[in-house]
Amino acid sequence: MITEMLSISTIGKAPPPRTNFSPSNGKPPRASCFICCVRKNAESNGSSGGLLQLQLGNQSSDENVPQMRSGVRKLFREAQQNILYLNKQRILAMEELDRVKRERRSLLDRIEQLERIKLMYTRKDKFSISAELLLRIDSMVLTSLIGSKEASEFRRLVMDSIGSIADYFSQIMHKQDTELLVELRHFPRKSRKSGNHIIHICTEMAPVASVGSLAPYVTGLSRALQRKGNLVEVILPKYASLNLNEVHGLREVEAEFHSYFNGQLHGNRLWTGVVCGIGVTFIEPLYYSAFFGCENIYGYSNDFERFTYFSRASLDYIVKAGKQPDVLHIHNWETSIVGPLFWDVFVKQGLGGTRIMLTCQSFESQCVEQPEKLALCGLDPYGLHCSDRLQDNNNSHLVNVLKAGVVYSNNVIIMSSMQTKGQIIHARSHGLEPTLTIHKYVLFNILQLGSVWILILWQVLFFAKGSRDAFACCNRLVVSQDCFSSGVYGAAFHLLIQLDCRDKLVVAPQGFNSSAWDPSVDKFLPQNYSADNMKGKSVCKVSLQQHLGLQEKASIVLVGCIFSDISNIELENLKTLLWMASRRGVQFVFMSSAQTPGLNSALEYFEEEFKDENMRFLNKYDESLAHLVLAGSDIMLCPSFDDTVLQIPLKAMRYGAMPILLDFTDSKYGHFVDGDVEGTEFSRYIKDTFSNMPLNQAIDELKNNPSKWDKKILDAMIKDFSWDAECCDIHISAYTAIKNLPNIESYI
């Protein structure tokens, strides 16, 4: 038994020497030899060996028996400690192995995700190559390698031959500009197509610079436009906070580029790259480097100066690069100053065929400033500080930058999925109602005609068109009548026949990225599904329940809610709904994407107050879990159907979850009698199908009338409300309308 114990303490070591003990001689081995053996084994195991340093000398074995027993007991205890230590190390090793396995699985999942992204990028590679080639053409112009006229021909060539030109140049994009130029000149010309050339001058673009709803809109719309044969480019400030990992082929343009600001020309550094298959130019000020070297995109006291500098520099760059786009697409107040700059300064610099379109995500942020600040970018403060131009409607001593965009654009797109034009103008224009009413119908820039022509067009509108808004259309300008002639009236009438008095203000719904949010191919889901085969949805539901520690049962009604913001009133409504639904055994999953401490505290309070095993509150947004919440939920509670940031109603329908308003009595989705066509296709579908249904009614229908429920769900899943659908179609119609406007100079 003792030898077995000793052998345990020598795991992994050489066996101890055997003693020559033979039963035949009747004598045990000498104690000193035994202790020596024990000491060697203990030393080989790293033991202290204190007890093994026994000096037996010539003492008899009987006198040392107690010491021997004490040494053996201590050795036994040390052997036990070694065993416990080894067991502990074994457990730690197993835990480490599990951790490594989890990391390996996570790494494999990440690699698979990156491969999917790479595959998606490869599928759009023709757009990426074409975009990069267009940026190289810009570089050739800036470095004086080619002229503006030849560059324009090359841009049209790329636009008309995206597929073939991508195949031709894919292997030679690494060559110098001079070598690419030779290939461009030898590339066969093809017939011209009817696509539009659009340049966005904007302050956000997903995923490189993303704050609000503008970023996904610019990227989603641009990709949809390119898929339909249009040429799209984007100009952005080069923020210090740019996510450059998402920019492919980023390169600095080796050319001097100056722009005007505050009475002087200032140098800028130009960078080009491709984002999601779209060519992007980044402008980096050198003298005013602090403008975009800060951490955030918005929220500084000099925001007017920052974005005015960028707007002017963008126009200077377009002229120097020899671009002649069909449409300059500007966004919100930040680039609205492009409107008056274009018509007052740049239109005669080779841009006579270019038109201006403004998109407003909302009218809440407008930027009012002192009129004299307009001189910073080269505008005339005195000529623009008047009621029909930039003067603010509420503060007459100030100018309104967003109003400049509305007045000086050929077309204004208002982004709203649920509101009608009348609702926006009369209830959500934040003081711009007079301006929006005046510019409701005129498609062309009325300010370019001159006061005499304005009065003539008003009279033609009134008598020939019978428009009640004729006086408003002509900006309420009173002029003398001593310059009229029948020829002028005829020209005005001919012009108006072509214009047909179409809308200048257009409402367009938001879209969403249908390739990234598609349950039939979503890699974040445990099992995919579609409207043709819904078996995977119940699997996703059970997986979500398991992940969050909820009761795992597909028959339980599960309500999800993902939101970026929620008001105090909506929180109270939510509290009431939770009390009512919790008694019915309904499961709730709430996920917040907001970083607002007050909102997260409110959710924590809810969690403490209810202490319901059927409720889960997640105060941190997780992209992969968001996919599972949408797939696992039967119902998605939505603070608004006009969700411009997370676009939950659109995604919910795609994933087979019914979107239900958190406050279904919200009057802001009621009808507004203003003579407008009733909203967008999306708003009509939502109002007819979901908007008047409270949560309890939805739960009852799901439980008591599953066939009716399934019909609604399947119908919603096959609807296309992506960027490629209604949103893109409305924009293309608006682009085409203003692109085909006649040159007014030809009638004068």
Side-chain angles (χ1 to χ4, degrees):
M1 184 68 179
I2 293 175
T3 56
E4 289 177 358
M5 294 178 185
L6 294 175
S7 66
I8 291 174
S9 67
T10 59
I11 294 174
K13 307 294 181 180
R18 299 175 62 90
T19 55
N20 295 324
F21 173 74
S22 176
S24 60
N25 59 23
K27 295 182 179 180
R30 292 181 60 186
S32 59
C33 294
F34 181 77
I35 296 301
C36 180
C37 213
V38 170
R39 181 174 61 199
K40 288 181 179 178
N41 281 300
E43 289 174 350
S44 68
N45 282 310
S47 303
S48 62
L51 286 175
L52 299 180
Q53 297 177 359
L54 302 175
Q55 303 295 328
L56 299 180
N58 295 324
Q59 297 178 4
S60 65
S61 60
D62 293 337
E63 296 176 353
N64 290 287
V65 168
Q67 292 177 318
M68 290 173 56
R69 290 176 178 173
S70 176
V72 169
R73 283 196 296 272
K74 186 161 185 178
L75 184 61
F76 178 73
R77 286 195 297 271
E78 290 181 352
Q80 285 181 316
Q81 292 175 355
N82 287 341
I83 293 172
L84 292 174
Y85 175 78
L86 289 173
N87 283 336
K88 184 178 180 180
Q89 293 300 311
R90 181 177 62 83
I91 293 172
L92 291 174
M94 291 177 65
E95 291 177 349
E96 179 68 14
L97 181 60
D98 290 339
R99 185 186 66 81
V100 171
K101 287 181 178 179
R102 288 195 301 271
E103 288 183 352
R104 180 176 177 273
R105 283 196 299 269
S106 177
L107 181 60
L108 290 174
D109 291 341
R110 179 58 179 163
I111 291 173
E112 184 179 354
Q113 183 181 1
L114 291 174
E115 287 294 331
R116 291 198 306 271
I117 294 173
K118 181 181 178 182
L119 180 60
M120 290 174 60
Y121 183 73
T122 302
R123 288 173 182 169
K124 302 292 187 264
D125 197 51
K126 64 178 182 180
F127 296 115
S128 301
I129 294 172
S130 299
E132 187 176 351
L133 185 57
L134 287 166
L135 294 171
R136 296 290 291 276
I137 293 171
D138 296 346
S139 176
M140 295 175 193
V141 178
L142 293 170
T143 54
S144 302
L145 195 60
I146 59 175
S148 298
K149 183 177 180 181
E150 188 175 16
S152 180
E153 294 175 357
F154 287 153
R155 292 187 185 104
R156 178 57 60 178
L157 172 65
V158 174
M159 180 177 173
D160 295 345
S161 314
I162 287 180
S164 58
I165 209 165
D167 294 336
Y168 186 82
F169 283 90
S170 60
Q171 302 300 321
I172 59 174
M173 289 302 297
H174 62 280
K175 292 186 176 182
Q176 298 294 323
D177 287 352
T178 51
E179 297 174 286
L180 280 179
L181 179 59
V182 173
E183 299 294 340
L184 275 169
R185 285 171 172 165
H186 286 86
F187 189 81
R189 269 46 176 177
K190 296 195 176 182
S191 60
R192 177 168 180 164
K193 298 181 182 177
S194 58
N196 302 300
H197 181 192
I198 302 124
I199 297 181
H200 291 276
I201 302 177
C202 53
T203 55
E204 292 183 47
M205 180 186 186
V208 294
S210 186
V211 176
S213 57
L214 175 61
Y217 162 75
V218 170
T219 305
L221 175 64
S222 298
R223 295 179 68 183
L225 288 168
Q226 288 199 152
R227 285 191 285 268
K228 295 193 177 185
N230 300 280
L231 172 59
V232 185
E233 301 179 71
V234 174
I235 304 177
L236 284 171
K238 191 175 186 299
Y239 303 108
S241 57
L242 279 175
N243 182 6
L244 296 179
N245 292 329
E246 300 292 340
V247 183
H248 300 272
L250 182 66
R251 63 191 292 267
E252 181 182 353
V253 178
E254 299 294 338
E256 290 187 1
F257 166 58
H258 294 83
S259 61
Y260 177 89
F261 192 75
N262 197 17
Q264 300 181 50
L265 291 176
H266 298 282
N268 301 276
R269 185 175 289 119
L270 294 174
W271 302 79
T272 61
V274 179
V275 178
C276 299
I278 305 158
V280 183
T281 300
F282 302 95
I283 297 178
E284 179 184 9
L286 297 179
Y287 182 78
Y288 290 101
S289 58
F291 275 176
F292 305 111
C294 39
E295 180 180 356
N296 300 319
I297 293 180
Y298 309 118
Y300 298 98
S301 59
N302 64 340
D303 276 357
F304 173 81
E305 289 83 355
R306 295 170 65 226
F307 296 118
T308 299
Y309 180 97
F310 166 68
S311 298
R312 172 72 195 233
S314 298
L315 288 169
D316 283 323
Y317 162 70
I318 288 170
V319 169
K320 183 167 184 179
K323 295 177 181 288
Q324 294 178 326
D326 297 308
V327 179
L328 285 180
H329 197 152
I330 58 180
H331 303 268
N332 301 331
W333 78 259
E334 285 82 5
T335 54
S336 284
I337 204 68
V338 167
L341 272 172
F342 177 83
W343 291 110
D344 288 0
V345 180
F346 287 90
V347 69
K348 296 181 180 179
Q349 300 184 38
L351 297 175
T354 299
R355 300 292 180 260
I356 305 294
M357 177 183 284
L358 168 69
T359 290
C360 292
Q361 300 293 319
S362 92
F363 291 108
E364 292 183 25
S365 181
Q366 298 182 12
C367 185
V368 291
E369 277 291 351
Q370 298 295 329
E372 52 268 23
K373 282 193 174 184
L374 295 174
L376 289 172
C377 60
L379 290 173
D380 175 17
Y382 302 102
L384 295 175
H385 188 209
C386 48
S387 60
D388 61 307
R389 300 202 177 188
L390 272 64
Q391 185 180 51
D392 186 64
N393 297 331
N394 298 318
N395 302 285
S396 59
H397 64 289
L398 300 175
V399 291
N400 187 315
V401 182
L402 184 58
K403 181 179 177 180
V406 174
V407 171
Y408 279 87
S409 293
N410 298 105
N411 190 266
V412 179
I413 299 282
I414 306 169
M415 296 305 298
S416 177
S417 296
M418 297 299 298
Q419 306 296 311
T420 65
K421 187 191 302 182
Q423 287 175 309
I424 294 168
I425 292 176
H426 299 292
R428 298 182 178 275
S429 57
H430 296 274
L432 283 178
E433 181 177 353
T435 305
L436 294 174
T437 302
I438 288 172
H439 289 267
K440 189 175 181 180
Y441 293 116
V442 183
L443 242 177
F444 57 94
N445 194 325
I446 195 75
L447 294 179
Q448 303 309 306
L449 296 178
S451 57
V452 174
W453 273 88
I454 291 170
L455 183 57
I456 294 171
L457 290 178
W458 169 76
Q459 291 184 348
V460 173
L461 278 169
F462 185 81
F463 292 109
K465 298 290 182 178
S467 172
R468 296 179 180 179
D469 296 293
F471 194 67
C473 289
C474 294
N475 296 319
R476 300 178 181 176
L477 295 181
V478 179
V479 293
S480 62
Q481 302 185 27
D482 56 355
C483 298
F484 299 162
S485 69
S486 59
V488 171
Y489 275 103
F493 185 75
H494 182 65
L495 177 59
L496 285 170
I497 288 175
Q498 296 186 56
L499 296 175
D500 198 26
C501 206
R502 299 175 187 174
D503 289 351
K504 175 176 178 177
L505 303 184
V506 180
V507 178
Q510 293 282 339
F512 75 104
N513 187 352
S514 58
S515 61
W517 296 89
D518 183 354
S520 65
V521 295
D522 194 331
K523 298 300 182 180
F524 291 114
L525 305 183
Q527 184 172 325
N528 296 121
Y529 62 94
S530 66
D532 296 327
N533 185 355
M534 293 289 287
K535 292 182 180 179
K537 186 165 178 64
S538 59
V539 175
C540 294
K541 184 175 183 177
V542 173
S543 177
L544 176 63
Q545 292 168 331
Q546 182 180 15
H547 181 83
L548 298 177
L550 296 167
Q551 182 182 353
E552 299 174 25
K553 198 172 182 181
S555 61
I556 298 176
V557 177
L558 197 155
V559 179
C561 185
I562 304 174
F563 52 88
S564 59
D565 193 15
I566 192 170
S567 67
N568 292 331
I569 296 176
E570 288 167 334
L571 280 173
E572 288 301 314
N573 292 335
L574 176 61
K575 185 177 180 179
T576 303
L577 289 175
L578 290 178
W579 279 117
M580 294 171 60
S582 63
R583 296 196 298 268
R584 305 182 64 177
V586 177
Q587 294 177 339
F588 287 90
V589 177
F590 296 93
M591 178 184 289
S592 170
S593 67
Q595 301 299 319
T596 308
L599 178 58
N600 290 332
S601 298
L603 292 178
E604 291 173 2
Y605 171 76
F606 274 13
E607 191 170 15
E608 286 295 321
E609 183 178 6
F610 284 97
K611 293 187 181 299
D612 193 319
E613 62 180 7
N614 287 328
M615 297 182 188
R616 295 294 182 269
F617 296 86
L618 310 172
N619 59 9
K620 184 178 180 182
Y621 182 79
D622 181 271
E623 179 79 7
S624 59
L625 186 55
H627 286 250
L628 189 59
V629 170
L630 284 163
S633 297
D634 300 298
I635 298 169
M636 289 298 296
L637 276 179
C638 306
S640 171
F641 284 144
D642 226 340
D643 183 355
T644 60
V645 179
L646 296 176
Q647 302 159 327
I648 296 302
L650 297 167
K651 296 171 183 175
M653 289 191 293
R654 188 64 176 268
Y655 278 72
M658 183 176 288
I660 297 296
L661 270 182
L662 183 57
D663 180 11
F664 74 95
T665 61
D666 194 341
S667 61
K668 66 186 178 183
Y669 296 110
H671 295 277
F672 191 94
V673 181
D674 62 348
D676 281 342
V677 176
E678 180 68 17
T680 63
E681 179 185 340
F682 172 80
S683 67
R684 291 193 295 271
Y685 179 78
I686 286 288
K687 288 175 181 177
D688 293 342
T689 312
F690 305 120
S691 67
N692 294 320
M693 185 181 295
L695 178 60
N696 278 335
Q697 182 181 335
I699 295 172
D700 288 337
E701 185 173 298
L702 174 58
K703 289 183 174 181
N704 303 326
N705 198 345
S707 59
K708 182 179 179 181
W709 178 276
D710 292 342
K711 185 178 183 302
K712 284 184 179 180
I713 291 298
L714 295 178
D715 182 59
M717 289 182 70
I718 62 176
K719 292 286 184 182
D720 184 7
F721 293 118
S722 66
W723 294 114
D724 296 79
E726 185 181 11
C727 178
C728 186
D729 292 341
I730 290 175
H731 280 79
I732 290 177
S733 296
Y735 290 141
T736 303
I738 61 176
K739 173 184 173 182
N740 294 332
L741 283 175
N743 289 326
I744 296 171
E745 292 82 357
S746 63
Y747 293 99
I748 299 177

